[in-house]
Amino acid sequence: MQLPEEYQQLNAQEQSVLLESLQRRQYQSGECIFKAGDVGDYALFIESGDVRLEFEEHELDCELVVATMCAGEIIGELSLLDEEVRSLSAYAEQDVEAHLLRRQVLDKLKQTNPKCAASLFQALGKSASVKLRKANNKVEESLVMQHGHLTQVDDKVTRASAAQVAFTGWSEAKIDELLFRMCKVILENSQALAEQAVKETRLGN
């Protein structure tokens, strides 16, 4: 299998030890690989297929997708580093082939081959660091977008207030005509609006 970039920096012996320690696993499309709150005693090297990582929001009866990981990437390494429970759930988006690196392997290597174990932990830390930087970038983008949205809201409120003043003196017939035209536009675009709503909220069909 092709190791992720962070693990290709290991020397030939270390890569050989890592590959020999991995356990092959297969997951069917839609299958849960692990759940938030599970004991994180392994990391998963994805050989083929996509894996969806998400928070589970039970109160809203929906999920918040954090990322989709693909072939050549690793998931679950953070739990190998901090020995805490999983913070995210992972689901196979399609049939997935992967390889498990268990914590017991690392614990054994710390006793039998400390140098190799240190190199593997360094690679795991590198993986986690790369993801943290990507997450930071997403937060930054979200804050920028949120600021832009607030500006748009202020603009819409100003325009709505001006419109309210403009049609205060309208007749009932003129208001009915306006509402009819609005409904007509919504109905003409109902399919696109429905698809966009499902895509953004992940609710409905």
Side-chain angles (χ1 to χ4, degrees):
M1 63 167 288
Q2 182 74 17
L3 289 172
E5 181 179 352
E6 296 84 2
Y7 299 82
Q8 294 177 18
Q9 300 176 10
L10 300 172
N11 63 40
Q13 180 187 11
E14 291 166 345
Q15 288 192 30
S16 177
V17 170
L18 174 59
L19 291 171
E20 290 175 0
S21 303
L22 299 178
Q23 299 177 3
R24 191 178 187 84
R25 288 290 185 274
Q26 293 181 322
Y27 302 92
Q28 294 182 345
S29 178
E31 184 177 352
C32 178
I33 297 174
F34 55 72
K35 297 274 285 184
D38 287 352
V39 175
D41 59 353
Y42 65 85
L44 197 74
F45 292 82
I46 304 172
E47 182 173 358
S48 65
D50 294 340
V51 175
R52 184 178 76 253
L53 299 177
E54 60 187 39
F55 290 111
E56 296 200 9
E57 184 52 73
H58 300 291
E59 294 182 2
L60 297 179
D61 192 27
C62 64
E63 294 82 28
L64 176 61
V65 177
V66 176
T68 300
M69 311 300 288
C70 58
E73 296 185 294
I74 181 175
I75 61 173
E77 72 274 28
L78 190 58
S79 290
L80 287 185
L81 293 170
D82 62 15
E83 299 187 3
E84 297 290 338
V85 298
R86 306 286 191 192
S87 57
L88 299 172
S89 296
Y91 295 89
E93 282 278 82
Q94 51 205 219
D95 290 347
V96 170
E97 292 190 9
H99 300 265
L100 269 61
L101 174 62
R102 295 195 176 277
R103 178 178 294 146
Q104 296 94 315
V105 172
L106 295 174
D107 290 340
K108 184 177 180 180
L109 276 176
K110 284 190 291 186
Q111 302 297 324
T112 60
N113 194 337
K115 184 176 182 301
C116 182
S119 296
L120 290 178
F121 274 112
Q122 184 177 20
L124 289 167
K126 179 70 173 178
S127 294
S129 175
V130 168
K131 289 179 182 176
L132 179 59
R133 291 184 182 278
K134 288 181 179 179
N136 288 341
N137 289 338
K138 285 187 176 181
V139 170
E140 183 179 3
E141 291 173 2
S142 177
L143 291 174
V144 171
M145 289 180 63
Q146 183 179 17
H147 177 72
H149 288 162
L150 290 175
T151 302
Q152 293 175 16
V153 169
D154 290 339
D155 178 61
K156 289 186 182 340
V157 170
T158 300
R159 292 169 60 188
S161 298
Q164 183 180 14
V165 173
F167 69 68
T168 297
W170 283 17
S171 66
E172 185 174 344
K174 193 171 183 179
I175 293 176
D176 286 345
E177 174 63 20
L178 172 63
L179 294 175
F180 174 78
R181 292 170 61 184
M182 290 171 61
C183 290
K184 182 179 179 181
V185 172
I186 293 173
L187 286 172
E188 289 173 348
N189 295 275
S190 60
Q191 179 70 24
L193 291 171
E195 290 175 354
Q196 183 177 356
V198 171
K199 181 179 180 181
E200 290 187 3
T201 65
R202 294 178 57 81
L203 295 172
N205 184 335

